Amino acid sequence: MRPYELSLADAAKAVRERRLSPVELVDSVLERLEEVEPRLGAYASVDAESARAGARRAEREAAAGRFRPLLGVPVGLKDLIDVAGRPTGAGSRVREGHRARSDAEVTGRLLAAGAVPIGKTRTHEFAYGLITPQTRNAWDRGRIAGGSSGGSAVAVAAGSATFALGTDTGGSIRVPSALNGAVGLKPTYGLVSRHGVTPLSWSLDHVGPITRTARDAALALSVLAGHDSRDPASVPAPAADLLPGPDPDLTGLRVGVPRNHYFDRVDPEVEAAVRRAVARLEELGARTVEVEIPLARYAQAVLHGLVAPEAAAYHEPTLRTAPELYGEDVRLLLEAGARLSAGDHLRAQRARTLMRREWARLLEGVDAIAAPATPVTAVRTGEEGLTWPDGSVESVSDAYVRLSAPANVTGVPALSVPVGRDGAGMPIGMQLLGRPFAEAVLLRIGHAYELAEPGPGIAPVR
Amino acid sequence: MPDAPDGPVPPEADRDARVAAAAEHLRSVVALLRELDLADTPPTAAYRAEEARTDAAL
């Protein structure tokens, strides 16, 4: 196995045990990046020189016997996350000439843990879309990467990053992770600081890891989570041991299987794969319970009622002075969002209060909920709409947001794990949702599942 | 998210119509929430009178 193929946990362990030098690890990932990047376009910028310098520093530390949890591990950062002295391009011409003055809180936490940033991964412009058109799917270059954290998910799936960070406002971590066979974790709202991360919607934005295993997500989250008073949503969460044990036991765990919403208008292959995965969880000891998702039909309305005016407010100055710098799709969304009334925005906030209350009640009865992460696998590039057997037509973006929205609106943690591939070879994701701050439960389930049914591994990238 | 195809920027008059249509679509999506009886339900926006201290020990 070549170093770029190692999971985060295995790479960090190999460095700690002095079986692998950080220089070898970073060089291997950079070589893989050079090989696949021309075909994928996962990175907005790569800083190989600084990554190699970081690897050499990590090597000196390792030689001196000083170890940090992510020492020498290469990470890709979504191009919305500030790194001091570097541009945060946000996938937009609006940001030409930008230079971040300081590190985002999450960047600082990764550096303090010894991780080595190797570049900025591509995002749908300002994270306002589910496609990431600049990037191609790691498993089929004729299909979309998904978004908005498309670059991060593709880099992780292709082996051009050992792990990466993304952001999730309406599915932007889970959707590209599912579409590329990666693991994506949207943590509980407020668990990971957004300070230094370009906002899309203050009330819905989350930062989280994209990895190749649930165990890796646990390791990354242990480093990322923590209170930061510079993010008004940040909460001092109770310290939790996130790392799943070596032989996770699901005995007695109650897993809710939705009877509404999450399996409605879902591709039959996706549904079959997720139901098979749920059956696997039962074999591993979990007890499944059928659950009714409350207020499901309002989730997307709440999401749009919050995102549209908040995004429009953030972009208002540049939208006034330089609207031509935005891509047409994002400009239209922003200009339309500016026309939504304050009453609509407040109604969405009040409906959100109701949803939180009802979901808290739902989650009293189960430890987690298992559902598809997306209704369909990655669509072909340029495909804009889906027609369902009931005759309804849905835009591709709406379809991808539909199953993601509830976790953004309620703020509950949601983990997407790969559960096989469809007939065309495209990865399928299962979403595990849990109580606020119960990431450890989701990660334990994800890890138990991946021990029984390992993920797809590195995409061959042909 | 509501979709809008990529492509060359259309002339201004056409743009206005497209923005109006997108705004109308957005309003119609959000209007679904009028079905809910929100009664005394407060909004989720959080405000604390005291700004969080950056040196808070937590």
Side-chain angles (χ1 to χ4, degrees):
Chain A
M1 188 178 257
R2 286 157 295 183
Y4 77 81
E5 296 174 285
L6 292 170
S7 68
L8 163 55
D10 288 344
K13 186 162 181 273
V15 167
R16 195 166 53 244
E17 292 172 355
R18 306 290 323 271
R19 288 182 285 110
L20 175 68
S21 115
V23 170
E24 284 170 328
L25 174 59
V26 169
D27 279 348
S28 173
V29 170
L30 286 172
E31 274 166 34
R32 174 67 177 169
L33 189 152
E34 270 177 44
E35 181 196 342
V36 298
E37 182 57 16
R39 280 172 271 167
L40 296 176
Y43 282 89
S45 62
V46 175
D47 199 341
E49 207 173 298
S50 137
R52 289 201 171 94
R56 285 193 297 274
R57 280 195 301 276
E59 179 142 295
R60 284 195 293 276
E61 272 192 50
R66 291 198 306 271
F67 291 103
R68 295 183 277 163
L70 306 181
L71 188 65
V73 179
V75 60
L77 298 173
K78 185 177 186 178
D79 200 15
L80 285 182
I81 298 171
D82 285 351
V83 175
R86 313 253 179 231
T88 306
S92 183
R93 288 194 296 152
V94 170
R95 284 294 180 87
E96 264 172 34
H98 177 269
R99 202 151 289 277
R101 280 195 294 273
S102 53
D103 285 334
E105 171 69 10
V106 286
T107 308
R109 283 179 166 268
L110 289 175
L111 292 172
V116 178
I118 53 172
K120 305 296 284 291
T121 55
R122 289 200 190 275
T123 171
H124 198 111
E125 186 173 17
F126 285 110
Y128 210 174
L130 277 296
I131 308 294
T132 321
Q134 320 93 304
T135 305
R136 287 165 288 287
N137 191 285
W139 294 87
D140 179 345
R141 290 185 288 142
R143 293 176 187 265
I144 64 162
S148 63
S149 312
S152 287
V154 168
V156 169
S160 56
T162 302
F163 75 111
L165 295 194
T167 65
D168 192 318
T169 306
S172 287
I173 286 175
R174 289 159 289 157
V175 170
S177 296
L179 268 40
N180 288 280
V183 170
L185 174 63
K186 181 204 80 68
T188 306
Y189 185 71
L191 183 62
V192 174
S193 168
R194 296 133 352 137
H195 177 75
V197 180
T198 304
L200 171 60
S201 161
W202 298 282
S203 62
L204 295 167
D205 292 343
H206 301 68
V207 180
I210 297 177
T211 55
R212 287 194 288 268
T213 69
R215 181 169 170 73
D216 286 1
L219 267 173
L221 186 65
S222 327
V223 166
L224 297 170
H227 181 249
D228 177 8
S229 59
R230 296 169 301 179
D231 177 351
S234 178
V235 285
D241 185 5
L242 295 163
L243 293 186
D247 187 16
D249 183 9
L250 303 186
T251 304
L253 219 57
R254 295 161 304 168
V255 174
V257 181
R259 77 167 73 94
N260 64 325
H261 189 66
Y262 285 101
F263 289 97
D264 300 341
R265 287 186 296 162
V266 167
D267 179 85
E269 284 191 276
V270 172
E271 172 165 4
V274 172
R275 294 209 187 272
R276 267 196 307 276
V278 169
R280 201 76 177 98
L281 297 181
E282 278 182 325
E283 286 166 23
L284 294 166
R287 188 157 57 81
T288 55
V289 186
E290 201 172 83
V291 293
E292 174 81 18
I293 302 298
L295 302 172
R297 77 189 231 96
Y298 302 104
Q300 262 170 295
V302 174
L303 188 97
H304 292 308
L306 297 175
V307 175
E310 291 180 26
Y314 177 74
H315 288 280
E316 194 264 341
T318 20
L319 206 54
R320 191 155 27 85
T321 55
E324 71 285 356
L325 294 181
Y326 290 92
E328 181 55 18
D329 63 333
V330 169
R331 180 180 168 185
L332 200 56
L333 291 173
L334 292 172
E335 288 174 336
R339 297 188 184 189
L340 211 61
S341 74
D344 282 327
H345 187 216
L346 280 161
R347 195 174 298 109
Q349 287 195 6
R350 297 171 71 201
R352 187 187 201 189
T353 304
L354 279 189
M355 280 190 69
R356 176 177 57 193
R357 193 179 299 156
E358 293 302 316
W359 269 71
R361 207 165 289 155
L362 164 67
L363 288 164
E364 279 171 14
V366 289
D367 299 296
I369 292 168
T374 60
V376 287
T377 57
V379 299
R380 294 196 178 282
T381 307
E383 210 172 318
E384 286 179 0
L386 300 167
T387 305
W388 295 103
D390 65 4
S392 63
V393 177
E394 192 177 28
S395 78
V396 165
S397 293
D398 278 344
Y400 287 135
V401 168
R402 174 155 48 89
L403 306 187
S404 297
N408 293 89
V409 169
T410 58
V412 303
L415 176 73
S416 174
V417 296
V419 292
R421 295 196 270 154
D422 68 10
M426 300 311 295
I428 295 169
M430 173 171 73
Q431 188 175 191
L432 298 164
L433 304 103
R435 295 185 195 121
F437 305 106
E439 276 81 358
V441 174
L442 306 185
L443 292 163
R444 181 152 64 96
I445 299 173
H447 186 51
Y449 180 79
E450 72 197 5
L451 287 176
E453 301 283 344
I458 305 262
V461 191
R462 293 190 189 95
Chain B
M1 317 260 156
D3 269 338
D6 271 326
V9 177
E12 276 317 298
D14 192 26
R15 266 213 63 79
D16 286 347
R18 278 159 57 90
V19 173
E24 194 40 51
H25 174 68
L26 185 60
R27 275 193 290 267
S28 71
V29 169
V30 173
L32 187 66
L33 301 178
R34 292 174 189 271
E35 289 177 8
L36 292 168
D37 178 10
L38 293 168
D40 293 335
T41 309
T44 45
Y47 174 78
R48 293 182 193 91
E50 186 184 40
E51 193 165 3
R53 294 204 328 261
T54 50
D55 60 348
L58 286 159

